[in-house]
Amino acid sequence: MPSWTSLKNAASRHAVLLAVLAAHIAFWTIVNQFISPHPDTIDHWVQSRIWSLGYYEHPPMVAWLLKAFTAVLGSSEAAIETSAQAINLAVLVLAYGIGASLFGRLAGALTLLFLEATPYFTAGSTIFQIDQPLMLCWLAALA
């Protein structure tokens, strides 16, 4: 089990990551309270409730992930929005980790800030998209 000192040192080394992730969570949690879910997100949610080996134009990974999240968090709008943000946060953490491990903490921080500036992580934080599981698995394979 890590000691308090090692956790404190890790937090200070990755302060940019923690600050950006905290701001990301706070901002998009507030924004999600005032907007309706995107129709694609609702479509994926319906697919997650009606099981099939494949879906008409969307790959099944999105429905499987939504089913897993709603099984734990409940079948509600907040659970769907939380699942989209959780996947995006995992992508941000992996991208930061890969950048930091390969090129240093500054590169990881810049990667994180550049990703936060793209529409995928701004508007995309409110939508559960088909690209999120793909990007998450792709980054996990790189890690």
Side-chain angles (χ1 to χ4, degrees):
M1 185 166 132
S3 68
W4 173 251
T5 306
S6 65
L7 289 174
K8 192 170 133 183
N9 290 339
S12 67
R13 282 193 314 270
H14 303 292
V16 172
L17 170 70
L18 297 174
V20 169
L21 292 181
H24 180 95
I25 292 168
F27 180 77
W28 289 111
T29 300
I30 293 167
V31 168
N32 274 335
Q33 302 304 312
F34 298 105
I35 60 175
S36 297
H38 192 273
D40 283 347
T41 302
I42 299 301
D43 188 34
H44 298 313
W45 175 66
V46 169
Q47 290 174 351
S48 75
R49 298 177 64 197
I50 303 166
W51 286 102
S52 178
L53 292 176
Y55 298 102
Y56 51 97
E57 88 257 24
H58 298 341
M61 179 60 79
V62 177
W64 294 342
L65 279 173
L66 268 176
K67 183 66 173 180
F69 274 104
T70 56
V72 172
L73 301 174
S75 191
S76 67
E77 182 181 334
I80 295 167
E81 292 166 349
T82 301
S83 63
Q85 286 197 20
I87 297 294
N88 273 340
L89 288 174
V91 168
L92 289 172
V93 168
L94 279 173
Y96 171 83
I98 291 168
S101 67
L102 292 177
F103 304 107
R105 285 192 310 241
L106 178 61
L110 289 174
T111 300
L112 182 64
L113 293 175
F114 288 147
L115 285 176
E116 279 289 342
T118 65
Y120 176 81
F121 289 101
T122 51
S125 285
T126 62
I127 305 168
F128 202 103
Q129 312 172 53
I130 59 174
D131 300 329
Q132 291 166 321
L134 174 68
M135 187 175 278
L136 181 64
C137 292
W138 182 75
L139 286 169
L142 285 175

